Amino acid sequence: MRREATTRRALDRLPAAGLAVGALVFLGARALPPVPGMPPAPTADLDSAPLASAAGVPAQVEDDGYPIDHEIIIRRCQRCHERDDEGRMTRISYERKTPEGWQTSVRRMVALNDVALGPDEAREVVRYLSNRQGLAPEELEPGRFEVERRLIEHVYEADRDVENTCIQCHSMGRVITQRRTREEWELLMATHRGLYPLVDFQGFQRGGDGPQPVDEAIDHLSEVFPLETPEWSAWSASMRTPRLAGTWALAGFEPGKGRIFGTVEISAGDAPDEFRSRASYTYAESGQEVSRSGQSIVYTGYQWRGRSNPGGADELREVMTVDRGWQQMTGRWFSGAYDEFGPDVTLTRASGGPVVSGVHPPAVRAGATSAEVRVHGLNLPASPDAADFDFGPGVRVESAEGGDGSRVTLRVSVDEGAAVGGRDLFVGGVSLADAIQVHDGVDRLEVTPRAGMARIGGAAFPKGYQPYDAIGWDDGPDGEPNTEDDLRLGRVPVTWSMEEYTATFDDDDIQYVGALGPDGIFTPAVDGPNANRKGNRNNIGDVWVVATHDSPAAGGGSLRARAHLIVTVPLYLKFDPWQGVPAGRLVP
């Protein structure tokens, strides 16, 4: 066989590469160097080229693997990864991954196999493999939470037993963002057992006769996540570097801070898939203004990976997905020792006409008079007329004041008897669905996330913070809570506090785990042990995070809601053998 046992611990450890920065743009491909692994730009005018063009795309060979023709990969990897007469290399040619997946493999190769690969070379390797052997958008979608570094409770419905086998050490997202041949799935399991022998006890083996969990996992994964799929065949046939240069409207939400609105200017970088960006945005609640600049690479024709304000205290990693029409990007910008800070974002291309990104506040009470409402977007009227803005029946726009085209301040009144529910906004020939919610009061309160986690730190390990938000709800037209017609009113002002969670009686967690700020952001205590605590224990524990909102709808009283917070130990053990390898800045 081509892929002998001696190569089984090879490619799963390459350091991946990529520019890490946040920016958007497309450059004139004909005047720039070619992108490794990406079909060459056609000589015809790019603006007139049909979106589904497949010119120059390399042919694929079903499950027979992908030939490798990249000089750096051949030169640096061939001593372990045998190359056959068709150019296919053991392990490498038989898998597809995200840029982060290829980065993990590259870094592992450098750390464990002494591969001599500098940062610039690593970037080219990751770029080439991500473009030639990446994932189609439909394949990545179920696992976007993994690359966007979201702490969520993901449930893999296809096979809970297989999920249980894999999540003993890492999230299921790492699994579902890969594609391999059956033999390659088998080799991956062998790699696990070679690097991490405890996996047999943690989930791979259960004893007794018959198929073991690891065997069942191989059967399932090779069937559900094979090397070749219709989605990848279709995407790779039309893949090209997107044209992103221009102005984009930014809308987002950051836990603990609320909604953001602004603009992102994207320009060309040094290669067709590289971009520079300048973002300016405002937090709608506080009025805080932020400016950022960065750089990025778009892999596989749609995977934006970047960093803004690189090297600064406010650096953010940017992970976004570009839609097929190059009109919108969605994803997350994040930072923190555990990637816990940063907004969810949506970028919408400005094509000349108005773009309405959102309205703040997102809810207005029936009977309100001259309430201030701000419309955010791009190309909005600089000298607006109140008549230009239509929120529908029961909502009157009394005045409108413009500015630089990114915001219009309205004064609106809502009829006392206006029906509760969402109102679409129409302005300048465009609309925004459910731009505001007309409501009759906050009927209930919700604290999100319902279950949060923080990590003590600050002495030997970094702290892991947990932001919380208090969301108001109206029971909707039927007057019943927790039904489909309930209206989400957005963040509401609350007083934050903590209460003891009695998992263990008399442990006084609330005195030791940390502090909850007035903004709903929990700051954990220092990592211990703590000599002032019974048993010299660490500062970990469980508490309730409580929000209290004064609500006229509650008869002049207040509404309360709470969420569970687990304050746990630092992440002492990482299953990343490349940690500390000075491989330069790679894919975020």
Side-chain angles (χ1 to χ4, degrees):
M1 292 183 61
R2 287 188 190 92
R3 294 186 280 168
E4 299 150 347
T6 55
T7 66
R8 293 188 179 183
R9 54 183 180 277
L11 176 70
D12 265 318
R13 317 145 187 137
L14 275 169
L19 233 335
V21 229
L24 288 145
V25 342
F26 177 78
L27 8 66
R30 292 185 297 276
L32 293 164
V35 176
M38 188 69 73
T43 55
D45 182 7
L46 287 173
D47 290 332
S48 63
L51 190 59
S53 168
V57 177
Q60 297 186 21
V61 195
E62 299 183 353
D63 264 6
D64 290 336
Y66 297 87
I68 303 294
D69 56 16
H70 195 277
E71 179 185 354
I72 295 175
I73 299 176
I74 295 171
R75 186 173 68 251
R76 301 296 190 191
C77 306
Q78 192 168 229
R79 68 184 176 95
C80 291
H81 297 276
E82 181 184 353
R83 191 166 186 258
D84 67 16
D85 54 6
E86 295 184 27
R88 296 170 299 191
M89 301 181 72
T90 54
R91 300 300 303 268
I92 303 175
S93 292
Y94 302 90
E95 51 191 298
R96 295 190 285 115
K97 305 179 188 180
T98 62
E100 290 79 6
W102 286 117
Q103 171 180 275
T104 297
S105 295
V106 172
R107 282 180 165 167
R108 194 182 295 133
M109 293 296 106
V110 171
L112 300 184
N113 288 6
D114 297 323
V115 174
L117 200 63
D120 292 339
E121 291 180 315
R123 289 187 182 90
E124 292 305 297
V125 169
V126 172
R127 195 184 228 145
Y128 174 87
L129 292 172
S130 297
N131 290 336
R132 286 285 290 268
Q133 295 167 229
L135 298 180
E138 298 84 356
E139 293 176 313
L140 177 61
E141 187 63 31
R144 277 182 62 178
F145 70 91
E146 176 75 11
V147 297
E148 293 174 2
R149 306 300 296 162
R150 298 180 184 275
L151 184 62
I152 65 170
E153 291 189 46
H154 176 264
V155 177
Y156 181 65
E157 300 285 0
D159 194 313
R160 300 302 299 277
D161 291 334
V162 170
E163 178 185 44
N164 187 63
T165 299
C166 299
I167 65 173
Q168 302 304 312
C169 296
H170 54 71
S171 82
M172 198 63 188
R174 187 175 297 190
V175 180
I176 64 180
T177 53
Q178 300 185 42
R179 299 295 184 273
R180 299 170 181 262
T181 62
R182 179 182 179 86
E183 184 182 0
E184 185 53 41
W185 282 113
E186 293 171 345
L187 290 171
L188 179 63
M189 300 305 176
T191 299
H192 279 61
R193 299 171 90 168
L195 291 176
Y196 314 114
L198 289 179
V199 295
D200 276 350
F201 302 99
Q202 290 174 306
F204 276 22
Q205 301 286 336
R206 60 169 165 250
D209 299 328
Q212 298 298 307
V214 65
D215 302 315
E216 294 169 352
I218 291 171
D219 289 341
H220 175 78
L221 297 176
S222 61
E223 179 182 353
V224 177
F225 304 119
L227 181 65
E228 288 301 328
T229 65
E231 293 81 9
W232 177 244
S233 296
W235 178 255
S236 59
S238 64
M239 183 177 64
R240 85 294 305 277
T241 53
R243 298 189 289 270
L244 302 176
T247 302
W248 298 69
L250 166 65
F253 179 89
E254 181 169 350
K257 291 189 174 182
R259 306 169 85 196
I260 63 173
F261 298 103
T263 61
V264 177
E265 296 287 344
I266 297 173
S267 59
D270 297 329
D273 59 348
E274 296 180 10
F275 303 96
R276 298 186 181 92
S277 64
R278 289 193 173 275
S280 300
Y281 55 89
T282 302
Y283 288 91
E285 292 181 22
S286 67
Q288 177 189 357
E289 296 182 350
V290 177
S291 295
R292 316 188 64 82
S293 61
Q295 296 173 312
S296 67
I297 289 179
V298 175
Y299 296 92
T300 332
Y302 73 97
Q303 298 184 78
W304 173 282
R305 301 292 187 269
R307 289 181 189 261
S308 60
N309 291 2
D314 59 346
E315 175 181 284
L316 289 178
R317 283 179 284 171
E318 301 181 351
V319 175
M320 295 189 291
T321 296
V322 183
D323 80 336
R324 287 177 177 266
W326 305 338
Q327 300 301 307
Q328 191 173 81
M329 288 181 271
T330 58
R332 184 169 180 252
W333 300 352
F334 52 89
S335 67
Y338 298 94
D339 305 321
E340 67 268 43
F341 291 117
D344 297 330
V345 296
T346 297
L347 274 61
T348 303
R349 186 190 289 275
S351 300
V355 176
V356 181
S357 302
V359 176
H360 187 82
V364 182
R365 186 164 182 165
T369 58
S370 295
E372 182 178 289
V373 170
R374 298 187 299 276
V375 180
H376 296 266
L378 283 177
N379 302 325
L380 300 175
S383 301
D385 187 324
D388 295 336
F389 297 83
D390 182 2
F391 285 101
V395 181
R396 299 184 307 280
V397 180
E398 299 174 346
S399 66
E401 183 177 329
D404 60 0
S406 65
R407 185 171 73 181
V408 173
T409 301
L410 307 177
R411 290 288 174 179
V412 303
S413 294
V414 183
D415 294 344
E416 187 72 43
V420 299
R423 295 290 192 278
D424 299 345
L425 169 62
F426 289 84
V427 55
V430 299
S431 65
L432 179 65
D434 286 332
I436 61 170
Q437 301 291 328
V438 173
H439 67 101
D440 56 9
V442 180
D443 293 315
R444 61 183 174 89
L445 199 61
E446 178 186 19
V447 175
T448 60
R450 295 186 178 182
M453 184 175 71
R455 294 182 183 271
I456 56 175
F461 294 87
K463 291 187 177 187
Y465 299 81
Q466 177 61 68
Y468 282 94
D469 292 296
I471 307 300
W473 289 84
D474 183 298
D475 289 339
D478 68 1
E480 297 293 329
N482 299 303
T483 57
E484 291 185 359
D485 70 348
D486 290 3
L487 307 178
R488 192 178 194 276
L489 307 180
R491 281 167 42 107
V492 296
V494 298
T495 301
W496 291 100
S497 61
M498 294 193 301
E499 294 178 354
E500 192 70 43
Y501 184 95
T502 53
T504 303
F505 289 103
D506 299 323
D507 61 357
D508 295 329
D509 287 342
I510 198 171
Q511 298 181 31
Y512 298 104
V513 295
L516 185 64
D519 54 1
I521 298 177
F522 176 80
T523 301
V526 70
D527 40 335
N530 188 345
N532 296 321
R533 195 169 191 187
K534 185 188 301 181
N536 204 34
R537 289 182 294 145
N538 223 319
N539 293 317
I540 63 172
D542 296 63
V543 295
W544 288 112
V545 170
V546 181
T548 304
H549 170 71
D550 294 331
S551 172
S558 60
L559 297 174
R560 297 176 79 250
R562 65 185 186 179
H564 187 201
L565 170 63
I566 298 174
V567 184
T568 188
V569 298
L571 195 57
Y572 292 121
L573 180 62
K574 294 186 178 181
F575 295 95
D576 298 334
W578 61 85
Q579 291 296 322
V581 173
R585 174 153 292 171
L586 304 178
V587 175

